[in-house]
Amino acid sequence: MRVPKRIQGSATRPLLITLVVVIVIAALGFVYASPYIAVNNLKRAADARDVQTVNQYVDFPALRDSLKQQVGAMLTRRLEADAGNKMATIGAVIGVTLIGPLVDAYATPDGVSALLNGMPPRGTPGEQPAAPPAGGTDAAPAAADNGSQPNAAPPERKGTAGYRSLNEFAVTYQRGEGNANYSAIFRREGLITWKLAAINLNE
C-alpha cells in the first residue's frame, strides 16, 4: 500500500525540526565552550614550546602593553610599601629600569607557559619565567616548600575560569600570597576565536 506524500511530509517534519534544534544547541554549546578550548590549547602549546600554535592564541602587542602597565604598577606599589627601607627602595627603582627586559621575557612562549601555570612575574631584576612544573601540563599542585631552593620552579597553581563579559574571558590564579590573585585575560576575536590579550597582576 502506497503512503500518500502528504502523510510522508507530516511524518518527516518533526524529525527535521528536531535535527535543526539539535544542531543549533550543539553550535551554541561549541561557541560557549570556545574560550575553554582556547585556554587548554594555548597552555598545552606553550608548555610544549609550540611557537606557531602559541602565536595563534596570543595577541602579543596587547599582552606586552598590559605587562608593561601591570609590572610598572606592581613596582610602584612596592616602592610605596617599602618607603622606609632604603635598600628595598633602591632595588625597586632598579626594577623599574628593567621593566622592558622583564616584559620581553614574559611576552614569549616560556612566559605564556609560566602565566598559565600560576607563575606570574614578581618584578625582580633579571627575572626569567619559571619552568613548568615537572610532570607536564597535568601535574598536580606540589605541597613542598621551595623556599630553600631559589632556582626551583614554584608549584603549579590551578585556576578558575569564566566569562567576565560576552567578549572577555579570564583565568584567575591564587598567587600564594594570602588572598592575592592574578588573572590571564582572553578576548574574543570573531565568533569562536579567543586570544590571550592582557594580564591583571592585582585582582
Side-chain angles (χ1 to χ4, degrees):
M1 180 177 177
R2 190 171 182 180
V3 179
K5 289 185 177 179
R6 184 177 298 176
I7 297 177
Q8 287 180 338
S10 299
T12 57
R13 189 173 301 152
L15 292 176
L16 289 174
I17 293 174
T18 301
L19 181 60
V20 169
V21 169
V22 169
I23 291 172
V24 169
I25 292 174
L28 291 175
F30 181 74
V31 171
Y32 178 83
S34 59
Y36 294 92
I37 296 171
V39 171
N40 183 63
N41 289 346
L42 174 57
K43 186 176 184 302
R44 288 181 179 277
D47 288 349
R49 305 306 187 267
D50 180 352
V51 177
Q52 185 174 356
T53 302
V54 169
N55 288 337
Q56 295 175 8
Y57 288 99
V58 180
D59 182 345
F60 276 110
L63 180 61
R64 289 177 61 85
D65 288 344
S66 177
L67 281 166
K68 219 175 270 189
Q69 294 173 6
Q70 292 292 311
V71 172
M74 179 172 61
L75 291 173
T76 298
R77 290 192 299 271
R78 184 176 299 173
L79 275 170
E80 294 171 351
D82 296 334
N85 185 332
K86 291 183 178 180
M87 291 304 294
T89 300
I90 291 172
V93 171
I94 293 173
V96 169
T97 67
L98 298 177
I99 288 177
L102 191 151
V103 170
D104 289 341
Y106 273 84
T108 62
D110 284 352
V112 170
S113 176
L115 292 170
L116 296 182
N117 278 296
M119 298 178 282
R122 299 180 301 278
T124 55
E127 180 181 355
Q128 293 294 317
T137 58
D138 297 323
D145 180 10
N146 288 321
S148 61
Q149 302 177 25
N151 295 324
E156 178 188 19
R157 297 187 177 98
K158 300 297 183 183
T160 57
Y163 281 88
R164 291 193 171 174
S165 69
L166 183 62
N167 297 315
E168 187 171 287
F169 185 89
V171 186
T172 302
Y173 300 87
Q174 187 173 358
R175 295 175 64 98
E177 304 161 4
N179 294 322
N181 296 322
Y182 81 96
S183 290
I185 299 169
F186 289 72
R187 297 200 173 108
R188 187 194 299 271
E189 292 188 4
L191 183 61
I192 60 172
T193 300
W194 294 82
K195 289 189 176 183
L196 175 62
I199 295 293
N200 187 340
L201 294 176
N202 189 38
E203 283 287 307

